[in-house]
Amino acid sequence: MMHENLDSESLVGRRLFGEYTVTRKLGEGGMGAVYLLQQDQIDQKIAVKVLHGRAAQSDELVQRFNREAKAVSMLNHPNITRLFIFGRSDDGLIYLAMEYVQGLSLREEFARGAMEEIRALKIMKQVLSALSEAHHMGIVHRDLKPDNIMLTEYRKSKDFVKVLDFGIAKVKEPQGGKKQQKLTQAGVVYGTPEYLSPEQAQALDLDHRTDVYSLGCILYEMITGEVPFSAPTAVTVLTMHVFEDPRPPSQVNPRCSPEMEKIILKAMAKKPADRYETAEAFLQALTGREMQLGVGADVAMPGQDILAASQALPKLDGPRPGRGGDNSASLAKTQVFDAAAAERAASRAKSDEDEAQAQTMRKVLIGLIAVCAILLVALIGAIFMVWYVKSGGGG
C-alpha cells in the first residue's frame, strides 16, 4: 500500500519503531512532511521525514532521499543533525528518522535584523566546523541557506548550531565503489537562488568551494540584514551572482568593520580559486577576527566539549545505513579551532612576518655592501690612473 494522499493528520497517532508515537506534524513540502515522534518511557523526541506517495513513485526523488540518508549517515559532528534510522515500512512508507532539533532557524533570526559581529562569528564558526567535516568526507551540501541552519540551546548555551537537509548533497564515492546515479540534470540549477555560487547558477561542475560561497552570502546577510543580490525573478538573481559584484557590506550596514567586509567578499569571490580554499581556511579567518576583537580567549565555540559524546546515538529497532567502516578516525581529523589554536596560528604568522622582514633587511644590506664595494673599486681605479698619469707612466 502506498500513501497516495499524506495529509496533515494521516500519521498522527500512529506508532513507529515499536514504542514511538507520531504526535504532530512539524512541516511539509512538495516531496513530503516531517513529523515529531515521542517515546514516553524515556521521554525522547525524534523527527521523521517521510515521502509523499506521489514522490515515493519517482525514482529520482527516492534516490535523492537515499542520498540524504547516506550523506548524513557518513557524518558524526555535533553541529550536524544525527541520523537514526532510514528505510521503508511494510506498507510502503519511506522514512528517515533523525535527531529532533528544537529552536529557531537562522531565517527566523533574520527577522530581527542584522546581527552583532561577535554573535555572527560564533554562529558561522560552528557552521564551518560542520562543513569542514562534510567536505573531509567528500560531501558537498549544495543547498546552504538560513532555513537549513538551526539555532538551539545546549547546556544553557544559546546559538548552538545544527546544519540540516543534505537532500541535494553531492557525495563523492570511494575509489572502486559503485558509481552513483547522477541526480542533477545538465543545465538544470538546483538550490536557492539567493545563496547559489556563480558556478552553481550556471549548472557547472561543483566542488566544496561552492559551499564556501553560499556561506559567504549567509554571513553577508547576518551582518547587513539583507541578501547580497535581490531581484523580482530568480533568473535575474542568478545572473547577478555570475556577473555583478555585491554592494560592499559596510555600505549596507555602516557598523560592518573593514576586516569583516574583507572576509565576506573573499568568501564571495566569483572565481572559486579566489575564495578561501577550504572551510577550515574560512574558519581560521573568522577566528583571527575574533582574536582582533579580543574575545577569542574568552568565548569558546559551542560543541567543543561534546565531539566525543556525539558518537552516542539512540538504539532503535530497524535498519541502519552502513557507514562503510569506522568513522572515528575521520572524526579525529575534524579541525575545530579554539582560541589557543588561533593564538598559536597568530604567533606563527607573526614569526613568519618577522622572518620575512629580516630576510628583506639582509637582502637590502647585502645590496648596499655590493654597491659600496663597486664604488670602492672604482675609486681605487681612479686614484691609480691619476697616479699613473702624474708619474709619467703614460709616456
Side-chain angles (χ1 to χ4, degrees), residues 116 228 260 341:
E116 293 292 332
M260 178 58 78

Side-chain angles (χ1 to χ4, degrees), residues 39-50:
Q39 214 287 1
D40 292 327
Q41 290 183 341
I42 61 175
D43 193 27
Q44 184 191 39
K45 295 181 176 67
I46 64 173
V48 172
K49 180 186 291 187
V50 298

Side-chain angles (χ1 to χ4, degrees), residues 301-313:
M301 188 167 68
Q304 289 179 352
D305 58 338
I306 61 168
L307 271 171
S310 67
Q311 298 187 52
L313 303 180

Side-chain angles (χ1 to χ4, degrees), residues 288-306:
R289 176 56 186 157
E290 258 190 350
M291 297 297 292
Q292 291 175 347
L293 292 171
V295 297
D298 300 321
V299 179
M301 188 167 68
Q304 289 179 352
D305 58 338
I306 61 168

Side-chain angles (χ1 to χ4, degrees), residues 38 71 282 351:
Q38 172 82 30
F282 194 174
S351 298

